[in-house]
Amino acid sequence: DTGVSQDPRHKITKRGQNVTFRCDPISEHNRLYWYRQTLGQGPEFLTYFQNEAQLEKSRLLSDRFSAERPKGSFSTLEIQRTEQGDSAMYLCASSLRGGEKLFFGSGTQLSVL
Amino acid sequence: AQTVTQSQPEMSVQEAETVTLSCTYDTSESDYYLFWYKQPPSRQMILVIRQEAYKQQNATENRFSVNFQKAAKSFSLKISDSQLGDAAMYFCAYSSGAGSYQLTFGKGTKLSVIP
């Protein structure tokens, strides 16, 4: 169990640029989740994969956001044409089953200038 | 939609003392899970304790225990013998039954431990 890893840890970008984050879940976990956390708030659900299938997307996930999980392994979250309101920490988590413990990564802190 | 409310934005406790963090939730479901997560300055969310709603017995994990009141929809966390390393943000979270994919978090309580 090497844990959930996320890359990069910090990302600073200019408004209008595209950014991509990567998440490597725990290898035997078939469920992968993306959450967003803004200052002073708890994490908010963005999207969920079971294996390579994206099964649910939150209303928070506008059409500028896209997530993939090719081959059911690592996942990427891309934000196109970033806006200042996208500044947040993006957390990835994985689990074996629903209702079970989620293992979180350390997040990617995005700052949009 | 389910909601989770943490009414204490900040709490403090003397080292070695006991502190209780409050959490209430709203749901119409009968099968669900409740969690307390800790987020230290390193930012990684760490599971502290998990409670299955169908279990009447309160969950315990070493110095951490919960008071689960299903009828009142209350789920408080008690930390005994507080240690400096307990200082962190604590989030209460709710998840529907076994097929659930989504956690709903409260806004968190910042716990400070005074030496």
Side-chain angles (χ1 to χ4, degrees):
Chain A
D1 180 353
T2 57
V4 178
S5 61
Q6 291 188 246
D7 183 69
R9 193 161 168 81
H10 297 94
K11 179 70 177 179
I12 300 173
T13 191
K14 292 183 178 179
R15 185 162 51 95
Q17 298 293 305
N18 298 343
V19 294
T20 300
F21 311 140
R22 177 180 170 123
C23 171
D24 287 90
I26 293 171
S27 57
E28 62 266 28
H29 286 180
N30 57 18
R31 293 184 175 217
L32 185 147
Y33 313 79
W34 285 98
Y35 283 79
R36 183 173 71 182
Q37 186 178 20
T38 54
L39 199 63
Q41 302 293 322
E44 296 172 293
F45 170 78
L46 290 179
T47 190
Y48 151 68
F49 290 85
Q50 185 159 327
N51 299 311
E52 66 276 9
Q54 188 175 16
L55 297 185
E56 187 65 27
K57 293 194 291 186
S58 162
R59 290 191 305 272
L60 294 175
L61 214 65
S62 75
D63 55 9
R64 297 185 297 106
F65 288 69
S66 62
E68 294 182 342
R69 192 183 182 197
K71 302 179 183 177
S73 55
F74 71 91
S75 176
T76 58
L77 177 67
E78 180 184 15
I79 309 174
Q80 296 182 327
R81 305 181 304 280
T82 52
E83 301 173 355
Q84 288 185 325
D86 298 331
S87 295
M89 184 159 66
Y90 291 84
L91 294 165
C92 177
S94 68
S95 72
L96 272 174
R97 285 176 291 277
E100 295 291 326
K101 173 181 179 179
L102 261 60
F103 291 80
F104 282 85
S106 295
T108 293
Q109 181 67 53
L110 173 66
S111 298
V112 181
L113 305 179
Chain B
Q2 292 82 19
T3 59
V4 177
T5 301
Q6 292 179 251
S7 58
Q8 305 153 316
E10 296 188 28
M11 293 281 286
S12 62
V13 61
Q14 291 284 142
E15 194 175 5
E17 296 296 309
T18 296
V19 65
T20 299
L21 308 184
S22 300
C23 172
T24 58
Y25 59 95
D26 187 25
T27 184
S28 58
E29 298 173 337
S30 58
D31 181 23
Y32 52 88
Y33 299 85
L34 295 165
F35 306 82
W36 278 97
Y37 277 88
K38 170 185 177 181
Q39 188 176 41
S42 66
R43 306 181 335 197
Q44 186 170 23
M45 300 282 283
I46 302 165
L47 179 68
V48 174
I49 203 163
R50 171 177 174 267
Q51 174 81 41
E52 294 156 313
Y54 67 87
K55 288 187 176 179
Q56 293 187 335
Q57 186 175 5
N58 289 325
T60 63
E61 287 287 342
N62 301 314
R63 297 182 295 107
F64 299 88
S65 61
V66 297
N67 184 4
F68 173 47
Q69 301 289 326
K70 191 171 184 178
K73 297 180 181 174
S74 170
F75 183 61
S76 61
L77 174 70
K78 185 172 81 171
I79 306 174
S80 304
D81 185 25
S82 297
Q83 301 175 0
L84 295 177
D86 295 333
M89 285 293 293
Y90 285 81
F91 292 94
C92 179
Y94 170 101
S95 172
S96 297
S100 173
Y101 53 83
Q102 179 176 346
L103 283 176
T104 300
F105 286 87
K107 290 189 175 182
T109 296
K110 183 177 180 181
L111 179 66
S112 301
V113 180
I114 303 165

